[in-house]
Amino acid sequence: MIKVLLHKGFSAILALLVLFSTVSFTIEKHFCGDVLVDVSIFTEVEKCAMEAYEIALEKITKIPCCKDKIDVVKGQDELKMSSFDDLDLEQQRFIIVYTYSYTNLLEYLQKEIIPHKDYSPPNLVTNIQVLDQVFII
């Protein structure tokens, strides 16, 4: 039972590892001047109130005060799918010998047969030690 649970747990961990290594996402940041106003991962950032006045300020100062910064975190986009036949002969032999030795590492013992498991002792009518006056000192 423990072997099955370990196998399922290990498989789930490997599946999550593949999933999280291939996921990519973007982080959007909106700055108003040098102040960070909003950060967003999955949606668009909210613009500040100065964004509406930016058009008028650009005509006067020609320097925009608001700016957006986008960071892209790319995941792995190429996964190599290989099979047992893609390995060379030495690697195939190593994998076969390793799995054979690992599976035969522990020999399973047969269940012990206990012949007196269901035996119940006879009911005591009298205490023999008190009857014979034999005490351990």
Side-chain angles (χ1 to χ4, degrees):
M1 178 160 164
I2 292 174
K3 187 177 181 181
V4 172
L5 289 175
L6 286 175
H7 179 68
K8 288 184 180 183
F10 189 66
S11 298
I13 288 171
L14 286 178
L16 289 174
L17 180 69
V18 169
L19 175 71
F20 287 125
S21 68
T22 57
V23 170
S24 60
F25 56 93
T26 60
I27 300 172
E28 295 185 37
K29 298 175 186 176
H30 181 74
F31 291 93
C32 189
D34 291 333
V35 180
L36 179 63
V37 176
D38 192 21
V39 177
S40 176
I41 296 176
F42 296 112
T43 59
E44 291 185 11
V45 292
E46 291 184 20
K47 307 293 184 186
C48 61
M50 291 298 293
E51 192 73 30
Y53 298 113
E54 188 173 323
I55 298 170
L57 289 175
E58 280 184 21
K59 292 179 182 176
I60 298 171
T61 60
K62 300 199 184 215
I63 300 172
C65 68
C66 294
K67 60 183 173 184
D68 292 330
K69 183 179 178 187
I70 298 174
D71 296 329
V72 178
V73 178
K74 285 197 168 192
Q76 184 180 4
D77 55 348
E78 291 183 18
L79 292 176
K80 181 181 177 186
M81 302 296 282
S82 61
S83 67
F84 187 73
D85 297 330
D86 295 339
L87 301 174
D88 60 351
L89 187 61
E90 291 180 13
Q91 291 174 337
Q92 289 178 356
R93 284 184 187 167
F94 175 76
I95 291 173
I96 291 171
V97 169
Y98 182 76
T99 54
Y100 179 75
S101 65
Y102 183 75
T103 55
N104 294 329
L105 184 64
L106 300 173
E107 294 181 12
Y108 296 103
L109 299 175
Q110 292 181 354
K111 226 176 191 179
E112 279 188 34
I113 299 172
I114 303 172
H116 57 277
K117 181 177 77 170
D118 296 327
Y119 173 74
S120 61
N123 293 331
L124 293 177
V125 178
T126 60
N127 194 349
I128 295 174
Q129 290 179 342
V130 175
L131 185 66
D132 294 333
Q133 296 291 315
V134 178
F135 303 105
I136 299 175
I137 298 176

